[in-house]
Amino acid sequence: QVQLVQSGAEVKKPGASMKVSCKASGYTFSDYQMHWVRQAPGQGLEWMGRINPKSGGTIYAQKFQGRVTLTRDTSVNTAYMELSRLTSDDTAVYYCVKEGVDGHWGQGTLVTVSS
Amino acid sequence: EIVLTQSLGTLSLSPGERATLSCRASQSVSSNYLAWYQQKPGQAPRLLIYGASSRATGIPDRFSGSGSGTDFTLTISRLEPEDFAVYYCQQYGSSPYTFGQGTKVEIK
């Protein structure tokens, strides 16, 4: 069965960077694009971008351009999302989402940005 | 960027009633690439509908989606206790793949 297992919760200082991993199993990793979505506490969902695991090609939401980097390592079926220059507004749960009609999401990673 | 507006912030209904949720796009959604998600507290969203009207795997047939262009609707024919949650629409026809702000369906 498809599983997306994300790395654990993190606490970061303002100005720092964060990197969340998403390990995929149960399907051919390279065949489906991986999206990243975040949700601030008590707020709605926000799409950040997506990566094509086969080519490495990326598309980012304009809001995050220059701050977000999506990468992947096909040898370990893992996608990564790195976000730099963190502020308190980046405190959120970050999700990886496998593209497709089966709708698989990771369990979410809470990142707290606090001094 | 396509802005999705879910006009109802909260919908108060009783179990067994019909729920009708709307999602309006600021411009036409390409190929009707519109999805609906359900989210319960502390959980990741669950895909209900894709392509405006196709049910995702394992989704009960009391959930249905309709619409095209800029106006879309999610209908829950008879609310079950487990259906009280927040519902989001998302367009994935053009980047950025924006979400609506959500509609909470609460028990009346």
Side-chain angles (χ1 to χ4, degrees), chain A residues 32-68:
Chain A
Y32 296 89
Q33 305 201 54
M34 190 73 77
H35 297 251
W36 290 85
V37 174
R38 77 176 186 179
Q39 186 170 38
Q43 302 301 310
L45 302 168
E46 184 171 34
W47 182 83
M48 300 179 69
R50 68 101 175 119
I51 184 167
N52 181 325
K54 186 171 291 183
S55 67
T58 55
I59 294 178
Y60 301 127
Q62 181 76 17
K63 175 178 179 176
F64 300 101
Q65 282 278 359
R67 276 211 308 142
V68 69

Side-chain angles (χ1 to χ4, degrees), chain B residues 27-41:
Chain B
Q27 54 189 281
S28 185
V29 175
S30 175
S31 302
N32 292 330
Y33 284 161
L34 193 287
W36 288 94
Y37 292 90
Q38 176 194 69
Q39 188 178 32
K40 297 178 181 179

Side-chain angles (χ1 to χ4, degrees), chain A residues 2-73:
Chain A
V2 174
Q3 280 195 300
L4 301 174
V5 179
Q6 298 184 220
S7 48
E10 299 188 48
V11 179
K12 295 292 185 182
K13 300 278 190 198
S17 296
M18 56 174 266
K19 191 170 186 176
V20 177
S21 66
C22 171
K23 183 168 179 59
S25 61
Y27 71 99
T28 303
F29 178 66
S30 295
D31 284 353
Y32 296 89
Q33 305 201 54
M34 190 73 77
H35 297 251
W36 290 85
V37 174
R38 77 176 186 179
Q39 186 170 38
Q43 302 301 310
L45 302 168
E46 184 171 34
W47 182 83
M48 300 179 69
R50 68 101 175 119
I51 184 167
N52 181 325
K54 186 171 291 183
S55 67
T58 55
I59 294 178
Y60 301 127
Q62 181 76 17
K63 175 178 179 176
F64 300 101
Q65 282 278 359
R67 276 211 308 142
V68 69
T69 304
L70 301 182
T71 56
R72 89 294 187 218
D73 183 343

Side-chain angles (χ1 to χ4, degrees), chain A residues 60-101:
Chain A
Y60 301 127
Q62 181 76 17
K63 175 178 179 176
F64 300 101
Q65 282 278 359
R67 276 211 308 142
V68 69
T69 304
L70 301 182
T71 56
R72 89 294 187 218
D73 183 343
T74 55
S75 69
V76 289
N77 291 345
T78 301
Y80 303 92
M81 186 279 297
E82 185 168 15
L83 189 63
S84 62
R85 304 193 302 276
L86 295 170
T87 73
S88 57
D89 289 341
D90 294 315
T91 293
V93 175
Y94 291 80
Y95 294 100
C96 58
V97 186
K98 170 186 170 291
E99 187 167 289
V101 301

